[in-house]
Amino acid sequence: MVVVDEENGEMHPLDLFLSVGLDKRTAENVLVNPKVTSNLTAVIKEACVVDGCGKTVGNLLYTVATKFPANALKHRPTLLEYIVSLKIKSPAQLDAAFAFLMNVGPETYQLKDFEEACGVGVEVSLEEVKAAINAVLEENMDALLEQRYRINVGNLCGQVRKKQPWADAKTVKEIIDARVAEILGERTADDDIKPLKKKKEKPVKVEDQPSHTSAPVTPPEEELNPFSIFPQPEENSKVHTEIFFSNGEIWRAHNKREMLEKHLKITGGKVITRFPPEPNGYLHIGHAKVLEIAVLNMNIMLYFCEIAFVSYLMILLQAMFINFGLAKERNGSCYLRFDDTNPEAEKKEYIDHIQEIVQWMGWQPFKVTYSSDYFQELYDLAVLLIQGGLAYVDHQTPEEIKEYREKKLNSPWRDRPISESLKLFDDMRRGLIEEGKATLRMKQDMQSENKNMYDLIAYRIKFTPHPHAGDKWCIYPSYDYTHCIVDSLENITHSLCTLEFEIRRPSYYWLLMALDIYQPYVWEYSRLNISNTVMSKRKLNRLVTEKWVDGWDDPRLMTLAGLRRRGVSSTSINSFIRGIGITRSDNSMIRYDRLEYHIREELNKSAPRAMVVLNPLKIVITNLDSESRMSLDAKMWPDAPSEDASSFYKVPFTNVVYIERTDFRLKDSKDYYGFAPGKTVLLRYACPIKCTEVIYGNDSESIVEIRAEYDPLKKTKPKGVLHWVAQPYPGVEPLKVEVRIFDKLFLSENPAELENWLSDLNPTSKEVISEAYAVPSLVNAVEGDRFQFERLGYFAVDPDSTTEKLVFNRTVTLRDSYSKGGNK
């Protein structure tokens, strides 16, 4: 039974696909993929076979729907004519057609060249097929006799195709099978025995390997090139997208050859990108309100409490890396463009802050521009749009526009005379129409399946002076109108944005095609999702406003303010983003460990070493004079050269030292390298000590002190090595510091999927140790300084630090689960 959609009278897609000869399984698989469903439906309609066709034609149409080269879509109707008329009737001919059209792209070509390339009209006789097969079998006779029926027949067919590309594949296979049986005779039982796989030889031990050979080394993530997926500017002649209209018309967006050549002449063939944040919103001190700021087309909700500051999320740092990084990798240029089309929200404070962040992240803009720089050009192009019948002045209220869009109805003013719209638009510009009483809308397609084609607003009236353009204008362009045009005016080669804006691609190219101006290459990438945290603006708002975390700069959040406070550098952020690459897969969850790996790699090279004891246990060295004080050299770097004094710092050594309480236990074992009664350990940079006595408190259980003897001659060579801090002078307590230990904010990898996601908060994500002991050299540390506390992790000085007490945040542990096979 054929199902017909009563609303539009069209056949159900499954029945449509079955009618062209596809088997049911293939047809059902097509329906799973919306893009293939749309393509195949369009191909069937374009080929005029909605009433059905033979299986041969249907299978070729399916191949066209799935493999047709995107840069040659304007030539698809011609190819379909050849298929339906059976001038192209084999997969080999179709593959040849694809190769020819891919090379031609959107340019014109001679039909005779196309037919010659595709073998149209060429008939291969049976004698020619047999001759080609005999030649191939003769060339492969030794292998055939050795391998017998285990020989790769597909490879033989491929060799025949090279000699006779237009021969029928089924006929070739049948004749090869018959000739092989004729040469080898009857198939035996031995022919069905699978050959034994050769055992892999054991790898040669490292010491036995010749010195001149080495195994291939996989380069580190940060050395891989994530930008290799992007085409060169001179390749920007392919069809970017197909714009389907409700009346059946199709626009295929691509640059004409002369337009592309003009663009390349202006740019010198260089890559040009842009990072376009919107500098809007700034609240007064003492307020806590919500504002939305669109940065790289993304609404990021920000809170400003007590003081105002911007908290960039990791996804925006990703956008910054992709745009600036691509330009840098290709020796091109990247604009920092402020999308300042809303005069009521733009503030210089934001502009200054964004520029500071871009610089902190290590990027240098080619030029700082503003959308408002192009207000005159944008206005002039809007006039051209009206003159071409592709824009009109509308008087609907926002509520009416919403209602008409939901019902897919045209505005009552959509078909007003062009001259009338031109006069009204001029009245808008001159301030003769009240704010809210008129807008300029693009005449796109109100009946489209894509809501972003519902006659988007191009201009609205706002009697507000512009911070950058002054009081010249009282009409301002919308983002949807401005963004793509300024991309074109600035000769942007690659316009990059996140996947949620893929639905806007038709409206982006509609406007550029309507104005007949250069079209940048648009590419959408997946947003960065990191495990054990939330990236949603609403969830982040709740965490901050309900005080589950300590503000937007809480080191546990994936905000720039939080990451900076935690001690994460721009180098490690860029390295992390580079390592994960650029993909269109929208379901990827990047493990938090992977970010930590890149932070750890950078800090391992840049952070000097120091010793801090978090939970001190007192040790009194009984064979060292209580008034004695030694000054020892400790390495700031693992490979510090002994002759370089600047690579060492001084640590005092007295008869009272402190070790971690967790480094001592009463019962020793073979696999334990810590301190225990009667056991000897090495104090790093000092000497071995041996536990001689344990002193208990009044409860006879808690340990308050350890007595030990030291070996000044270092005769013993213990396996265990402990970090420690000593009294700087006899009777003087070590430097006290506060240490904050941060862990993953959520227990689950993807808390956003949980209904009660707040219940998944990690109760131990923050631990404050108020009185840790530190070596004296840390007393001069200032905010932002970063260190490796030996055996504990990497730490950074927090802004809460005072002259009386330093505060350190743990940036990352020393443990690395990502590079040890936990990567994902």
Side-chain angles (χ1 to χ4, degrees):
M1 177 180 175
V2 176
V3 179
V4 176
D5 190 322
E6 293 182 2
E7 187 174 328
N8 55 30
E10 293 185 352
M11 191 184 300
H12 187 277
L14 179 60
D15 293 313
L16 180 64
F17 300 157
L18 293 175
S19 73
V20 296
L22 294 190
D23 61 77
K24 189 174 182 181
R25 184 176 179 182
T26 302
E28 288 173 344
N29 287 339
V30 170
L31 293 175
V32 175
N33 189 322
K35 187 173 182 179
V36 177
T37 299
S38 175
N39 283 350
L40 183 53
T41 303
V43 164
I44 293 171
K45 290 179 180 179
E46 207 169 290
C48 300
V49 291
V50 289
D51 295 327
C53 63
K55 186 174 183 179
T56 300
V57 170
N59 286 336
L60 293 179
L61 295 181
Y62 171 78
T63 306
V64 170
T66 54
K67 295 183 178 181
F68 192 88
N71 66 323
L73 284 170
K74 66 178 289 186
H75 301 308
R76 192 169 72 183
T78 302
L79 175 62
L80 295 177
E81 288 180 17
Y82 275 76
I83 291 172
V84 173
S85 63
L86 293 178
K87 291 179 181 178
I88 289 179
K89 53 189 175 184
S90 71
Q93 285 182 292
L94 188 57
D95 288 341
F98 288 164
F100 178 87
L101 294 174
M102 182 180 291
N103 187 51
V104 168
E107 305 298 323
T108 57
Y109 60 88
Q110 296 295 322
L111 275 178
K112 64 175 184 178
D113 295 334
F114 173 73
E115 292 181 349
E116 183 179 342
C118 304
V120 174
V122 176
E123 295 293 339
V124 182
S125 67
L126 188 59
E127 288 72 22
E128 289 173 320
V129 173
K130 289 181 178 179
I133 291 173
N134 287 334
V136 168
L137 291 176
E138 186 63 34
E139 292 166 6
N140 293 270
M141 190 58 68
D142 291 342
L144 177 61
L145 295 175
E146 179 185 350
Q147 299 174 33
R148 290 181 57 81
Y149 285 98
R150 292 190 295 271
I151 197 166
N152 188 335
V153 175
N155 178 267
L156 298 177
C157 292
Q159 294 180 48
V160 173
R161 276 198 300 274
K162 289 181 180 179
K163 296 179 182 293
Q164 291 290 350
W166 315 126
D168 181 71
K170 185 178 180 182
T171 302
V172 169
K173 174 70 165 53
E174 290 173 351
I175 295 175
I176 287 179
D177 287 342
R179 287 286 292 120
V180 167
E182 184 182 322
I183 294 168
L184 299 178
E186 189 176 345
R187 194 182 188 101
T188 66
D190 290 341
D191 290 323
D192 296 324
I193 298 174
K194 293 183 178 180
L196 294 174
K197 292 184 179 180
K198 292 182 179 180
K199 291 184 178 180
K200 292 183 179 179
E201 295 182 5
K202 292 183 179 180
V204 182
K205 291 183 179 179
V206 174
E207 59 267 24
D208 295 334
Q209 289 181 351
S211 59
H212 63 276
T213 60
S214 60
V217 179
T218 302
E221 284 184 343
E222 54 269 28
E223 293 182 14
L224 299 175
N225 182 5
F227 304 109
S228 58
I229 59 175
F230 295 117
Q232 295 294 343
E234 61 268 20
E235 298 177 58
N236 193 7
S237 61
K238 299 178 181 179
V239 173
H240 298 289
T241 192
E242 287 186 306
I243 305 172
F244 296 96
F245 291 87
S246 56
N247 63 1
E249 188 178 358
I250 302 174
W251 286 10
R252 295 185 172 92
H254 70 279
N255 285 310
K256 298 172 185 174
R257 177 58 58 184
E258 57 272 18
M259 188 179 291
L260 181 60
E261 288 175 354
K262 179 182 177 182
H263 159 79
L264 294 172
K265 187 176 181 180
I266 294 171
T267 64
K270 286 188 173 183
V271 165
I272 300 178
T273 60
R274 82 287 179 270
F275 177 63
E278 181 181 350
N280 65 0
Y282 190 96
L283 297 186
H284 297 293
I285 293 174
H287 290 269
K289 295 183 180 178
V290 182
L291 55 100
E292 288 195 0
I293 164 175
V295 185
L296 189 63
N297 315 338
M298 290 180 281
N299 290 329
I300 303 300
M301 205 77 81
L302 302 175
Y303 269 83
F304 292 84
C305 305
E306 302 305 323
I307 61 171
F309 64 92
V310 178
S311 294
Y312 274 72
L313 294 176
M314 179 67 84
I315 50 178
L316 300 184
L317 304 183
Q318 176 194 26
M320 202 182 295
F321 171 83
I322 292 173
N323 283 284
F324 280 100
L326 172 60
K328 183 178 180 181
E329 193 271 337
R330 300 280 178 88
N331 295 315
S333 303
C334 181
Y335 284 90
L336 172 57
R337 184 205 305 156
F338 290 102
D339 184 20
D340 58 344
T341 54
N342 185 354
E344 295 174 334
E346 322 304 344
K347 294 289 181 180
K348 188 176 184 304
E349 293 92 331
Y350 267 89
I351 293 171
D352 293 342
H353 186 84
I354 291 169
Q355 288 183 293
E356 187 268 325
I357 294 303
V358 170
Q359 186 176 8
W360 182 81
M361 286 298 295
W363 304 117
Q364 184 61 46
F366 155 67
K367 189 177 180 181
V368 178
T369 60
Y370 300 79
S371 292
S372 56
D373 294 340
Y374 305 94
F375 275 178
Q376 186 61 55
E377 290 93 329
L378 291 165
Y379 175 81
D380 293 340
L381 289 170
V383 171
L384 287 177
L385 210 59
I386 299 172
Q387 290 173 342
L390 295 172
Y392 61 97
V393 172
D394 187 38
H395 303 289
Q396 287 185 303
T397 64
E399 293 74 21
E400 288 171 334
I401 290 175
K402 181 181 178 182
E403 179 187 352
Y404 273 57
R405 281 177 172 168
E406 288 173 351
K407 296 178 179 179
K408 294 187 176 185
L409 296 175
N410 290 343
S411 164
W413 290 277
R414 193 176 199 266
D415 296 319
R416 72 190 329 161
I418 289 174
S419 58
E420 194 174 301
S421 281
L422 284 170
K423 181 184 181 305
L424 287 168
F425 189 50
D426 185 58
D427 289 346
M428 288 170 62
R429 180 187 64 83
R430 293 162 57 199
L432 302 179
I433 301 178
E434 291 180 41
E435 189 169 327
K437 296 296 184 180
T439 59
L440 182 71
R441 294 178 66 182
M442 295 175 269
K443 192 181 288 187
Q444 296 169 301
D445 187 358
M446 287 297 294
Q447 287 74 46
S448 171
E449 295 301 318
N450 186 333
K451 63 182 181 181
N452 286 287
M453 290 289 288
Y454 291 171
D455 289 10
L456 300 178
I457 292 174
Y459 270 87
R460 71 277 199 210
I461 302 168
K462 283 185 182 291
F463 292 108
T464 305
H466 192 282
H468 193 68
D471 57 3
K472 179 181 178 180
W473 299 92
C474 63
I475 57 170
Y476 293 99
S478 67
Y479 167 81
D480 290 302
Y481 176 77
T482 305
H483 181 66
C484 54
I485 293 178
V486 178
D487 274 357
S488 180
L489 294 176
E490 290 186 340
N491 278 290
I492 300 303
T493 58
H494 298 74
S495 181
L496 310 173
C497 55
T498 48
L499 270 175
E500 62 263 39
F501 294 96
E502 185 175 21
I503 193 173
R504 291 175 180 254
R505 187 188 283 209
S507 63
Y508 181 102
Y509 282 117
W510 178 92
L511 184 52
L512 298 181
M513 289 187 71
L515 292 169
D516 195 27
I517 57 178
Y518 163 76
Q519 302 168 19
Y521 170 80
V522 172
W523 201 85
E524 301 90 1
Y525 56 88
S526 62
R527 288 176 56 166
L528 183 56
N529 294 307
I530 301 177
S531 71
N532 301 94
T533 189
V534 291
M535 306 290 272
S536 156
K537 58 191 177 186
R538 292 179 181 84
K539 288 182 170 61
L540 285 167
N541 286 338
R542 284 196 64 184
L543 289 173
V544 173
T545 55
E546 295 178 15
K547 301 191 183 306
W548 295 100
V549 294
D550 304 323
W552 279 98
D553 63 343
D554 189 300
R556 292 167 291 180
L557 293 181
M558 286 292 111
T559 60
L560 178 58
L563 291 167
R564 291 177 74 172
R565 186 168 186 176
R566 188 162 181 159
V568 178
S569 70
S570 59
T571 304
S572 54
I573 293 173
N574 286 330
S575 181
F576 164 66
I577 298 172
R578 185 182 186 90
I580 62 175
I582 305 169
T583 176
R584 285 179 58 83
S585 173
D586 203 25
N587 300 313
S588 56
M589 175 68 70
I590 308 301
R591 276 183 47 182
Y592 189 83
D593 298 343
R594 192 164 179 175
L595 171 60
E596 288 187 325
Y597 163 79
H598 288 279
I599 298 170
R600 191 179 292 109
E601 285 290 291
E602 194 265 334
L603 288 174
N604 184 47
K605 300 169 187 175
S606 61
R609 274 53 172 172
M611 290 194 292
V612 172
V613 174
L614 301 182
N615 298 292
L617 175 60
K618 184 178 181 181
I619 296 179
V620 177
I621 302 174
T622 56
N623 63 334
L624 180 62
D625 186 77
S626 61
E627 297 300 316
S628 176
R629 181 184 187 276
M630 291 179 263
S631 184
L632 306 179
D633 286 330
K635 291 183 177 181
M636 295 175 67
W637 315 101
D639 53 355
S642 56
E643 67 276 7
D644 182 8
S646 65
S647 296
F648 293 82
Y649 67 97
K650 295 293 184 179
V651 290
F653 183 66
T654 61
N655 81 315
V656 177
V657 299
Y658 297 87
I659 65 169
E660 293 288 353
R661 190 167 290 275
T662 53
D663 279 339
F664 180 84
R665 70 187 190 191
L666 293 170
K667 190 174 181 180
D668 194 14
S669 62
K670 289 183 178 181
D671 58 348
Y672 176 61
Y673 295 100
F675 210 25
K679 187 173 184 176
T680 300
V681 294
L682 176 65
L683 295 180
R684 190 155 174 77
Y685 308 120
C687 52
I689 61 170
K690 181 178 181 179
C691 177
T692 57
E693 187 180 357
V694 179
I695 308 299
Y696 295 91
N698 294 331
D699 58 4
S700 301
E701 290 184 6
S702 56
I703 300 171
V704 296
E705 186 179 300
I706 302 294
R707 302 286 168 83
E709 294 180 352
Y710 86 118
D711 174 11
L713 300 178
K714 302 181 182 180
K715 292 180 179 180
T716 54
K717 304 292 182 184
K719 292 183 178 180
V721 181
L722 306 182
H723 67 283
W724 53 277
V725 172
Q727 289 185 351
Y729 294 95
V732 178
E733 282 192 326
L735 174 67
K736 287 184 179 179
V737 298
E738 180 177 308
V739 177
R740 298 170 182 174
I741 306 295
F742 295 104
D743 203 347
K744 294 168 183 173
L745 186 56
F746 289 90
L747 299 171
S748 302
E749 281 203 348
N750 192 3
E753 289 186 340
L754 303 176
E755 185 174 346
N756 188 9
W757 58 278
L758 285 171
S759 66
D760 191 55
L761 281 164
N762 181 2
T764 60
S765 64
K766 178 182 178 181
E767 178 188 359
V768 178
I769 300 168
S770 57
E771 293 193 342
Y773 284 163
V775 290
S777 62
L778 288 176
V779 72
N780 295 319
V782 296
E783 180 185 339
D785 284 352
R786 300 176 300 165
F787 302 89
Q788 185 199 97
F789 292 170
E790 297 205 37
R791 298 181 65 230
L792 298 178
Y794 296 95
F795 294 77
V797 181
D798 188 80
D800 287 346
S801 296
T802 65
T803 53
E804 288 76 31
K805 193 171 192 178
L806 286 168
V807 178
F808 291 91
N809 295 326
R810 187 174 73 182
T811 308
V812 67
T813 63
L814 294 177
R815 184 187 69 255
D816 181 4
S817 61
Y818 171 69
S819 63
K820 294 178 180 177
N823 50 317
K824 191 175 182 177

